[in-house]
Amino acid sequence: MFEAPKAWSSRSMKAAQIEGVRGRIAVAEVRVPELEPDDALVRVVASGICRSDWHLWNGDWEWVGMKLQPGAVLGHEIGGVVEAVGSNVKSVRPGQRVTVPFNLACGHCHHCSRGEQNICDNAAVPHLIPGSGGWAQYMRAPNANLNCVLLPEGVDELTAAALGCRYMTAWRAIQSRGALRGGESVAVFGCGGVGQAAIEIAASLGGRVIAVDVDDAKLAKAKEIGAHAVVNAKGLSSEQAGGAVRRNTERDAGVDLAVDALGSVATVHGALHSLRKGGRLSQVGLTSQEEKGVVAVPMDMIVLKELEIRGSLGNPQSEYDDLLSLVASRKLNPTSLVSRTVSLGDVESVLHDMDSFKTSGYVVITDFD
């Protein structure tokens, strides 16, 4: 893990601090982090409120070592401007616009050397590093030579925050781990933030997309952004949901690629039942309290149909250039999924809305005063 900074500057900043699991979130005056030689200080211009943050606020993922600490500052979908850099930082300079991936990588382990920074052996996430959460006026980017990604012309800070976790996660799930080829069929289970991004990306890459959700409004949005067909799975068993997807494919054979963008027994099983023989599941969604990381799978079906399950986590720093290029050229438009911009003081109410899936698209903090 990265070391905490040895000292804090005398300046203060505003940050949204969490009292604990399901606790109050209050805007407080805290110290601006002082930099170590490898760090950059980023002035946050836009910061997303992600369902991953909601999971952490609910105490999820303690079973994989991500325990929420009182006073934590979350936020990992960041667009900002470099304010200052440590003495060892050469790749960015003050005044440059950047994003900071949520998978903060070391740059020297086996996986980093292979360009797989998203599964770095020494990876850390922002809320576990003091001063690195994005729900604040400033955040510290450790190992900035790797973890500060420059934004090209045509990609502003709001777009970078929209790219943040959900969009770039969907990019890897579809393009890299999913290995989508033009003309293939894709089922996206869960049409929240990651799901909507997956739909737009898959459609832009030539996929025929079938969107699955239990909310008609989200399914209508899915049609707007590229889904060819939709399935409302409300009241359906996993097998029935999968069957409904297959009926929207040629000869009812099933889809080439399924994406579970939620992470539940129902969506994992529904996605598997939607696949054709030889199909592949790109598993993005992490589970909640009900599953605690464990989902039984229909193993005989996986063997008999030669199905593949591919985990997909975030996006490595080495794969940002292609994604940013497509965004800069307007072939992909993450900001079209931004439904609302809010202030730091609105964070708690947004998380409560997520309790009942009331949010649609991406909610992004742009007011930090």
Side-chain angles (χ1 to χ4, degrees):
M1 301 291 285
F2 296 102
E3 294 181 359
K6 295 188 178 82
W8 299 87
S9 82
S10 59
R11 293 183 296 166
S12 66
M13 65 179 184
K14 292 180 180 178
Q17 287 187 309
I18 295 181
E19 291 183 353
V21 173
R22 297 290 301 181
R24 181 170 172 264
I25 303 170
V27 177
E29 289 283 337
V30 302
R31 298 284 188 181
V32 173
E34 188 169 306
L35 302 185
E36 293 291 314
D38 294 324
D39 299 343
L41 183 69
V42 177
R43 175 172 57 83
V44 183
V45 177
S47 184
I49 305 174
C50 178
R51 182 154 288 273
S52 296
D53 298 309
W54 176 87
H55 276 289
L56 291 165
W57 181 58
N58 276 275
D60 293 343
W61 305 342
E62 290 187 10
W63 49 87
V64 291
M66 288 194 283
K67 185 174 182 178
L68 184 67
Q69 299 296 328
V73 176
L74 301 184
H76 57 278
E77 297 183 313
I78 297 160
V81 178
V82 177
E83 184 84 357
V85 297
S87 59
N88 292 339
V89 177
K90 308 300 180 187
S91 66
V92 295
R93 62 181 184 273
Q96 291 185 312
R97 299 175 306 107
V98 297
T99 189
V100 181
F102 74 82
N103 43 280
L104 299 170
C106 71
H108 55 73
C109 71
H110 169 75
H111 290 289
C112 283
S113 67
R114 291 161 53 94
E116 300 169 341
Q117 296 90 357
N118 60 312
I119 52 174
C120 168
D121 287 333
N122 304 299
V125 290
H127 79 279
L128 294 177
I129 306 172
S132 292
W135 294 350
Q137 291 177 311
Y138 297 91
M139 59 85 61
R140 181 175 75 97
N143 192 17
N145 285 321
L146 175 64
N147 293 319
C148 279
V149 177
L150 286 170
L151 299 179
E153 290 298 321
V155 180
D156 61 18
E157 294 88 344
L158 178 62
T159 304
L163 279 172
C165 164
R166 291 164 280 192
Y167 207 92
M168 59 89 151
T169 293
W171 167 257
R172 181 166 176 79
I174 293 289
Q175 190 270 344
S176 179
R177 299 295 290 160
L180 178 68
R181 296 179 291 274
E184 288 190 319
S185 53
V186 185
V188 177
F189 281 74
C191 297
V194 173
Q196 288 183 17
I199 291 163
E200 183 186 10
I201 291 167
S204 74
L205 295 177
R208 186 182 187 281
V209 184
I210 303 164
V212 186
D213 204 282
V214 296
D215 185 326
D216 283 332
K218 289 181 178 177
L219 291 172
K221 178 67 174 179
K223 291 278 283 187
E224 288 178 18
I225 58 178
H228 290 75
V230 298
V231 170
N232 190 319
K234 189 173 183 178
L236 300 182
S237 68
S238 298
E239 290 189 19
Q240 289 170 332
V245 170
R246 292 198 306 275
R247 287 192 291 276
N248 281 281
T249 64
E250 187 176 0
R251 298 188 301 277
D252 297 348
V255 294
D256 300 285
L257 172 66
V259 178
D260 176 11
L262 182 62
S264 70
V265 171
T267 51
V268 171
H269 286 189
L272 287 170
H273 282 287
S274 74
L275 290 171
R276 65 163 177 81
K277 291 181 178 180
R280 54 202 187 272
L281 166 61
S282 192
Q283 183 63 38
V284 175
L286 292 170
T287 63
S288 300
Q289 293 290 338
E290 185 174 346
E291 297 89 1
K292 286 187 167 60
V294 179
V295 175
V297 295
M299 190 57 68
D300 290 350
M301 182 179 75
I302 290 170
V303 172
L304 293 172
K305 296 179 72 173
E306 288 197 341
L307 305 180
E308 296 181 55
I309 301 176
R310 302 175 178 179
S312 187
L313 174 67
N315 191 58
Q317 282 81 331
S318 59
E319 293 185 10
Y320 265 80
D321 285 349
D322 288 345
L323 174 57
L324 289 171
S325 176
L326 289 171
V327 174
S329 65
R330 299 294 188 268
K331 293 179 181 178
L332 294 175
N333 185 19
T335 51
S336 68
L337 302 181
V338 176
S339 60
R340 185 159 56 113
T341 58
V342 298
S343 71
L344 269 183
D346 295 321
V347 169
E348 184 175 335
S349 67
V350 173
L351 292 181
H352 280 294
D353 285 344
M354 288 183 174
D355 288 341
S356 50
F357 295 90
K358 288 182 181 178
T359 58
S360 176
Y362 301 172
V363 181
V364 180
I365 304 165
T366 55
D367 180 358
F368 293 86
D369 292 327

